[in-house]
Amino acid sequence: MREILLGYGIFAMYYVLTINTIYFGIILFSFKEISKILKSTTFSKYKSLSGSNNVPPISILVPAFNEELTIIENVRSLLALHYPKHEVIVVNDGSSDDTVGVLIKEFELQYYKPTSIKDVIKTAKVRGLYYNPDYPNLYVVDKENGGKADSLNAGINLSSYPLISSIDADSLLEEDALIRIARMYMEKPEEYVAIGGNVRIANGCKIENGVVKNVKLPKKLLPMWQLVEYMKAFLGGRIGWSSVNGLIIVSGAFGVFRKDYVVEVGGYRGGYPGEDMNIIIKLHRHMLENNLPYKVAFCPDAVCWTQAPDTFKILGSQRKRWGRGNLKNMIEEGRFMFMRPKYKIMGWLTIPYNIIFETLSPYFRITGLLALIGYALMDMSGWKILLVFSLINILYGTLLGIGSMLLEEIAFQRYPRIRDFFKMLIYTVLMFFGYRQLGILWRFLGHIDFFRKKTSWGTMVRTSFNEDKKSA
Amino acid sequence: MEQQVGSRIIQTFHHFLEYYQESNLACGMIIARADLNAKELEKLKAHMERLEPEVGVQFSHDQTEGLVGILLDNRTIGYSHFYSLYVKDFLEENGFLSGSILVGSFPESSPYAEQMLFDMVSEIISENGPQGEIRVFKKENNKKNDSILIVDSDEKVLELVTSYFTHKGYTVHTATDGKEGVAQYEKHHPSLVITEINLSALGGYQFIHHIQHLEAVKAAPIMVLTNKQLEEDVKRTFEYGVSDYVTKPFSLMELESRMVKLLQAVHS
């Protein structure tokens, strides 16, 4: 019995070690890619591009559910983006607060019957369209509640441009974020089907008039952990995944898509969270099945700032949602691509990695931990091996964290102070004592929700960016 | 540009002048070229209060520029001139005076209180007359009193335009986004506005729309200087009543000649 427990425990340890090793490989790709990114961004003239005739127009879709606190500031900053031609489509998803009302008041919008909205993708009933010719590129769609995916689909139905961009109503884009993605898109317009932006944590930053003026690290524990986590996922992970065209997700907070392909794969899937990962997997599948050359890319210099949850309750609910969405996506799409040669890097690497090391990780990790605890209770003699394994695990993880921070310092330098670097480093190490374990637990609870067919969206409490300004 | 003539005096009197402007009450203003410290300023204050106890008066000084500013509550240009004679005597006797004295009053000398102080300070800094001379400030006194407001998020453009046009004798105010632009416009009432369309906080179109619908003041001509090269933008800005449209990269000479033409139309 003892041997079995130890054996399983050690197997779980190797499992974790393998995750880290794969991640290490991905980070190496990120490093390889970063010099290319640096060169192409420093020598691009974004200012003149932002007024050029040759940049494709973009429809920005902003699904809004109970966003009356932040929506005005958000729309203002979207309208003022430095971009030659874009329209902002706010889709009110049957909010119970006055989201539509505050928009109508602020922009003096007029009601129109939704006759101009095409029916490309089926959505919940659209109640009306609001518009004011003084703001010719702002549209507000008011529809009945149908979820975020449904709102995005309604936005697609109204949009008039070939590119669409999905943006969370609680996020803020940097003024040149869109033009930076467009620059990348224009390199190979026939190949790029989706490009994701870099999501950064705005907690602790000073925000004025919808613009992040003073970048600072968050003061609170949870946002700080998420900052380190995001940096690792986005810079360390997604740059590398993108360079091998194995990116499985473009963050729902900010991404740009080819509208024709999104429509071809049937638009966003409703009913479940994780629609941002779902659309990317569907795009991969569609393009590979039809033998079309394509790329799903990550554009790290296009920045979107978002407010990270700062309480355990909200963060937990977000992570459970992610866990539920991830499981659904793997059951619905992932398993059809698992280890199938037709799906190339997606089939051989991305999907297997996600199923084995992301979706199933709670089971291996939790049972592994239990086995080790059980073993330790029966016999203490193996503690040295366990300690060595744990240390290797933490050191490996820290190394990956440092790698991501180096990428940040090489290419972006948003946190230039030495003190900030060490603060991030400390939190990278601290992550292994509590935060990681919580993340695993939340994902597991998300799976339980999935099997209990829970459909509610959980709590997501918005705080106004203005409030943040006051407290900062 | 405020930073350039960022005299302490302007900051000290800012709220007072805002008040006079809003309530449309008169005030006298004396700016003297003199080197004295806080203690010596107190002396001047005590001296003047003894001589003219009736008048409400505020003193401020700027040691780095070597300036003294005096604000007289509810006084005309005549009285301010009379008052400045005493000030001159005191400054001269104590050896503080290092140049000329400039006297003005709101609203006689200028309809914009803050702009008046601003112009007075820049005038005395740029052309300091002979020691002891008392000049009356008149808006027409300046060869080119035209002030320009330029709004652009690109600091380099602001720097370039500011240095060029300041050198040419204009007063240049700057703002980096639409909201700040509106604030600067309301404060300085420039003769001409140059703006980018790509602006944060308040977009270019909203900024233009806003300043054209400010009540009480006739809007200054607006010139667009932008990265935007789309025909729709050109069309739309002219529909908004903008006077001219220049795209980047731009030539300063061209910008100046277009500006001069617009300003001539304003003056005629």
Side-chain angles (χ1 to χ4, degrees):
Chain A
M1 182 62 188
R2 240 172 45 203
E3 274 67 40
I4 296 171
L5 283 180
L6 180 64
Y8 188 73
I10 287 176
F11 163 74
M13 287 291 192
Y14 274 114
Y15 172 85
V16 174
L17 219 56
T18 317
I19 297 182
N20 282 332
T21 307
I22 294 178
Y23 217 101
F24 186 74
I26 291 296
I27 276 205
L28 289 183
F29 275 104
S30 294
F31 269 98
K32 198 178 141 228
E33 193 70 11
I34 200 77
S35 67
K36 228 196 282 175
I37 292 170
L38 254 180
K39 276 180 221 153
S40 66
T41 52
T42 36
F43 295 111
S44 293
K45 289 185 175 166
Y46 292 108
K47 288 208 184 285
S48 22
L49 263 185
S50 73
S52 163
N53 263 314
N54 304 317
V55 177
I58 294 185
S59 301
I60 300 177
L61 315 179
V62 191
F65 178 69
N66 292 350
E67 309 276 1
E68 63 176 16
L69 283 178
T70 51
I71 195 75
I72 298 295
E73 194 166 5
N74 196 282
V75 169
R76 281 222 174 272
S77 92
L78 289 175
L79 287 175
L81 284 180
H82 295 188
Y83 200 78
K85 204 171 172 183
H86 68 290
E87 59 183 8
V88 177
I89 301 174
V90 181
V91 186
N92 174 49
D93 189 29
S95 301
S96 54
D97 72 351
D98 201 21
T99 304
V100 175
V102 294
L103 283 166
I104 292 174
K105 192 163 159 259
E106 177 74 16
F107 297 101
E108 295 165 5
L109 303 170
Q110 289 282 321
Y111 173 85
Y112 292 90
K113 274 190 186 155
T115 43
S116 57
I117 301 181
K118 290 154 276 177
D119 213 9
V120 185
I121 306 167
K122 273 261 160 285
T123 67
K125 189 170 179 289
V126 176
R127 296 182 199 140
L129 178 64
Y130 294 88
Y131 184 70
N132 173 2
D134 278 341
Y135 297 88
N137 42 2
L138 172 66
Y139 300 88
V140 175
V141 179
D142 185 24
K143 64 178 263 295
E144 277 165 16
N145 186 273
K148 190 177 163 191
D150 193 61
S151 308
L152 288 168
N153 290 337
I156 291 174
N157 285 345
L158 177 71
S159 68
S160 44
Y161 296 142
L163 292 179
I164 52 166
S165 175
S166 65
I167 284 161
D168 275 356
D170 64 335
S171 304
L172 290 175
L173 291 194
E174 291 198 342
E175 58 188 26
D176 57 0
L178 214 50
I179 192 70
R180 282 175 183 270
I181 286 201
R183 203 270 311 152
M184 188 183 230
Y185 171 77
M186 283 157 69
E187 282 174 7
K188 277 181 188 157
E190 68 285 355
E191 282 191 16
Y192 284 109
V193 292
I195 302 176
N198 192 358
V199 178
R200 289 178 182 272
I201 305 281
N203 303 46
C205 295
K206 199 175 137 210
I207 295 162
E208 259 173 42
N209 299 322
V211 178
V212 174
K213 292 261 158 143
N214 196 355
V215 177
K216 275 196 186 140
L217 290 175
K219 290 188 193 77
K220 289 188 186 166
L221 180 74
L222 281 179
M224 195 56 216
W225 265 336
Q226 288 171 81
L227 181 130
V228 184
E229 188 187 22
Y230 274 44
M231 197 173 275
K232 198 165 155 187
F234 279 88
L235 297 183
R238 291 194 192 174
I239 296 177
W241 282 113
S242 160
S243 77
V244 295
N245 202 18
L247 202 59
I248 197 172
I249 185 169
V250 156
S251 168
F254 176 38
V256 170
F257 303 82
R258 275 270 296 264
K259 188 167 80 180
D260 47 355
Y261 287 121
V262 172
V263 170
E264 266 177 51
V265 299
Y268 287 89
R269 177 215 51 200
Y272 263 92
E275 77 292 326
D276 46 358
M277 180 187 277
N278 182 267
I279 191 82
I280 295 300
I281 300 180
K282 283 199 294 193
L283 284 172
H284 274 292
R285 234 183 128 179
H286 178 81
M287 301 309 278
L288 288 165
E289 281 171 4
N290 292 294
N291 275 322
L292 297 163
Y294 80 104
K295 256 176 118 54
V296 173
F298 172 64
C299 182
D301 52 314
V303 175
C304 160
W305 293 92
T306 193
Q307 292 286 1
D310 56 5
T311 64
F312 281 97
K313 189 177 167 222
I314 300 172
L315 181 66
S317 133
Q318 181 197 47
R319 294 304 154 100
K320 278 190 262 180
R321 222 164 51 227
W322 287 5
R324 194 151 56 96
N326 177 288
L327 182 60
K328 172 82 176 170
N329 285 330
M330 289 309 137
I331 290 173
E332 203 172 67
E333 301 282 339
R335 67 192 170 99
F336 298 110
M337 298 166 81
F338 187 79
M339 295 290 184
R340 307 264 170 100
K342 185 163 72 177
Y343 298 110
K344 294 181 184 157
I345 198 93
M346 285 300 285
W348 288 119
L349 187 62
T350 305
I351 294 290
Y353 173 83
N354 263 276
I355 291 181
I356 300 170
F357 297 115
E358 295 279 340
T359 316
L360 297 178
S361 73
Y363 306 100
F364 286 113
R365 285 180 197 249
I366 292 171
T367 51
L369 186 70
L370 288 177
L372 288 178
I373 290 171
Y375 170 74
L377 287 178
M378 292 163 89
D379 178 2
M380 297 299 288
S381 67
W383 66 274
K384 268 186 191 161
I385 313 169
L386 300 186
L387 190 68
V388 168
F389 262 117
S390 313
L391 274 178
I392 289 176
N393 186 13
I394 291 172
L395 283 176
Y396 215 157
T398 310
L399 181 73
L400 296 175
I402 292 175
S404 312
M405 277 152 62
L406 280 179
L407 286 168
E408 165 76 29
E409 297 304 324
I410 291 169
F412 308 108
Q413 295 126 14
R414 294 303 175 103
Y415 306 99
R417 295 188 302 179
I418 307 274
R419 216 172 71 194
D420 289 343
F421 187 86
F422 282 105
K423 188 172 172 190
M424 290 191 280
L425 186 64
I426 289 168
Y427 277 84
T428 306
V429 180
L430 281 180
M431 240 167 54
F432 295 96
F433 303 94
Y435 184 70
R436 279 305 195 76
Q437 290 75 4
L438 262 177
I440 301 287
L441 186 68
W442 279 326
R443 173 172 290 182
F444 178 62
L445 293 176
H447 288 188
I448 291 178
D449 286 346
F450 175 85
F451 291 117
R452 287 166 61 197
K453 299 222 184 324
K454 190 180 167 204
T455 47
S456 92
W457 286 77
T459 22
M460 192 68 203
V461 179
R462 298 273 189 245
T463 47
S464 166
F465 277 107
N466 284 321
E467 280 169 29
D468 195 71
K469 190 172 70 189
K470 271 172 220 148
S471 69
Chain B
M1 201 160 148
E2 212 119 326
Q3 285 82 355
Q4 220 177 18
V5 206
S7 174
R8 247 194 82 218
I9 299 174
I10 296 180
Q11 286 158 29
T12 325
F13 289 159
H14 167 71
H15 287 294
F16 293 110
L17 292 175
E18 225 171 35
Y19 162 74
Y20 286 113
Q21 180 83 53
E22 261 168 41
S23 51
N24 212 23
L25 287 172
C27 70
M29 176 69 67
I30 301 168
I31 304 287
R33 195 93 204 186
D35 296 309
L36 34 68
N37 58 32
K39 214 169 153 194
E40 289 156 349
L41 185 77
E42 283 304 313
K43 261 193 201 162
L44 169 67
K45 213 165 151 181
H47 175 76
M48 290 312 298
E49 270 162 9
R50 216 165 35 242
L51 285 175
E52 288 288 312
E54 302 293 310
V55 59
V57 60
Q58 295 292 332
F59 288 80
S60 171
H61 78 308
D62 181 345
Q63 236 171 318
T64 47
E65 290 285 356
L67 292 177
V68 176
I70 303 168
L71 180 77
L72 300 158
D73 177 53
N74 196 18
R75 295 294 160 156
T76 59
I77 187 89
Y79 178 82
S80 305
H81 192 270
F82 163 73
Y83 195 91
S84 73
L85 291 170
Y86 282 131
V87 174
K88 181 192 151 191
D89 284 346
F90 177 85
L91 292 175
E92 235 169 12
E93 271 165 32
N94 293 281
F96 299 142
L97 198 62
S98 62
S100 57
I101 297 175
L102 200 55
V103 185
S105 107
F106 168 79
E108 284 167 283
S109 313
S110 162
Y112 305 117
E114 265 192 279
Q115 185 64 41
M116 177 184 79
L117 172 61
F118 194 83
D119 290 341
M120 285 174 75
V121 170
S122 23
E123 186 180 324
I124 208 159
I125 288 174
S126 60
E127 39 194 296
N128 190 12
Q131 182 167 336
E133 184 200 43
I134 299 182
R135 277 179 293 154
V136 173
F137 172 80
K138 279 198 199 111
K139 214 170 155 54
E140 301 80 59
N141 269 358
N142 290 10
K143 299 184 301 289
K144 268 181 191 165
N145 190 47
D146 286 320
S147 62
I148 311 164
L149 169 63
I150 170 151
V151 192
D152 201 306
S153 58
D154 190 342
E155 304 271 353
K156 292 203 182 92
V157 171
L158 295 182
E159 213 174 287
L160 182 72
V161 171
T162 306
S163 67
Y164 183 80
F165 287 109
T166 312
H167 185 70
K168 293 270 178 180
Y170 297 92
T171 312
V172 184
H173 307 285
T174 60
T176 51
D177 64 51
K179 257 196 185 150
E180 201 192 333
V182 171
Q184 291 280 17
Y185 185 89
E186 285 175 336
K187 198 163 152 194
H188 299 295
H189 297 280
S191 328
L192 181 92
V193 178
I194 303 176
T195 182
E196 168 64 274
I197 300 287
N198 280 335
L199 291 177
S200 310
L202 194 64
Y205 289 111
Q206 277 75 56
F207 169 66
I208 293 166
H209 186 77
H210 193 98
I211 60 175
Q212 286 191 328
H213 289 81
L214 280 178
E215 279 163 53
V217 216
K218 193 179 166 287
I222 301 167
M223 194 166 159
V224 168
L225 173 65
T226 181
N227 275 313
K228 289 215 167 201
Q229 293 169 355
L230 272 68
E231 289 163 350
E232 292 122 276
D233 287 309
V234 180
K235 181 170 168 272
R236 203 175 146 204
T237 42
F238 280 114
E239 279 169 6
Y240 267 75
V242 158
S243 306
D244 208 346
Y245 196 99
V246 181
T247 54
K248 295 177 193 169
F250 64 103
S251 132
L252 281 167
M253 294 260 272
E254 186 194 329
L255 194 69
E256 191 191 2
S257 33
R258 284 173 186 274
M259 228 174 74
V260 167
K261 198 186 121 220
L262 287 177
L263 287 171
Q264 275 167 359
V266 173
H267 295 316
S268 62

